[in-house]
Amino acid sequence: MRLHDVIKRPILTEKALRLRDEQRTYVFEVDLKATKVDIKRAVEKLFGVKVEKVRTLIVKPKPRRNIRSRRHIGYTRHWKKAYVKLREGEKIEQLEGV
Amino acid sequence: MAAIPEERKAIREARIEISKAELEKYEDRIAKRYARRVRIPGFRPGKAPASIVKQRYRDEILGEALKDAIKDRVKETFPEAEIISEIRIKSIDQTDKGYEVLVEFEVVPKIEIPDLTSIEAKKKIYKISDIDVANYIEELRKKLAEYVEVKDRGIQEGDIVIADMEEYDKDGKLVDSSPVRIEYKKDELDERLYDLLEGKKVGDTVELTFDDGSKQVFKITKVLEEKLPELDDHFAQLHGYTSLKEMQEQIRKQLEEDARRRSEEEFEMEIINRIYEMYPFETPPTFVENAYRNLLQQVQIPQFESEEEKENFQKQLIAYAQQLVARELILDALAKERNIEVSEEDVREYLKFIGEKNPDAYIKQAKKRKQYDRLVYLTRLKKAADYLKSTVKVEMVVE
């Protein structure tokens, strides 16, 4: 699997920013088939940092509703989220400004 | 008229430069403001960091930052100018250093007050004669006039003629047919039609032909005579007076008061025009537009027969609005220059002058509605006008 296929996008939410600032942990959406090892390698290569730990989870699909009729119209997609903790003193420059 | 110097112009133009660094400061400030109210997925309201807000609302923030930066820069560049309009961006160029902007805005022009004792102005005094009073009463009589149908005589001056009018084109084809009401008055009616109708009775027909061959045919269906009410005490009582004598006296008093006010207003405008001619200035379009709108609400707008007539009416009204704005600016400048102070007693006097019957209650209401400052301002203008009229040289002219 190519590096760019492993990491799909960084997650920028209030919680993700807090984890980044307080625990050197960055949150990404990753490929469903990517393993922790794939993710570790991809982050290290793409951003030039050393990874200490990777935790992953599958975000479960949630029921989608029509806003007007409030009727159930299917599910959101399921996807894989990865929490990537860097080693002490490391940071991803590209994601610091946001 | 001599060219107006720059400081007496109302519209200013300026070219200003805003560097990228400077603009960024404004962007940061606006992004923080945005962050407090925008909703961004993944963040609780107001918790999104400014950097993310800035990314999401880049165009809006840049627009507002530019607006704020331009506003501040204009104020810095023209600290003495009293800006009274939006700052309009005429052109905007992006350069390596930042932005180069050409702006236009309105300011209160600098008003110069000349030595008032050097001004000589005519004051027209309008005398009210018995004829004026009689004419006024005659108008009131006409308003209560009754129209009585006449059959035994021909049409006379002052009658109302009702006729069926048929209009034919030059080929004799009927193009219009409608009933018409004709006021048979020599100075108001077409001369030829007046002569044709003279002495005619109900049932008679007159034909008016035109140079191009078209014609109008009038078939008289009714002739009405104007019957004015008798001029007696009863007539006076209908208008709220006890007797005809009292009515005449009261009307004379009212006409004299109107004439005095007219004389004062014209005198004031004459002085204002003199000052304006000595030190002309541009009247700010925003002020003129507001004055024009106020006038539109106050005046009775007539029925216009053509676009040209409508345009002329608008032009006249705009010219008058300009005059009113010039008056206000001159009086305001004079009040500031001579430090004219206004007490509550002055406001009371002013309210009495404009016909307010209960000045104290009016002042109380104005204070409650936070409109008292406006009253003070108007009183100050009135005091300035009085000062103006008492200072210049007056030449009385009896009309």
Side-chain angles (χ1 to χ4, degrees), chain B residues 42 78 151 158 205 222 259 316:
Chain B
F78 303 92
K151 287 175 180 163
T205 302
K222 223 181 245 183
Q316 277 179 11

Side-chain angles (χ1 to χ4, degrees), chain B residues 91-102:
Chain B
S91 71
I92 186 159
D93 298 317
Q94 202 168 356
T95 61
D96 297 341
K97 290 176 188 168
Y99 288 92
E100 221 178 79
V101 195
L102 181 66

Side-chain angles (χ1 to χ4, degrees), chain B residues 34-52:
Chain B
Y34 261 60
R36 282 198 287 271
R37 55 189 164 93
V38 294
R39 289 181 78 97
I40 293 178
F43 295 89
R44 287 172 294 165
K47 296 287 181 184
S51 52
I52 287 186

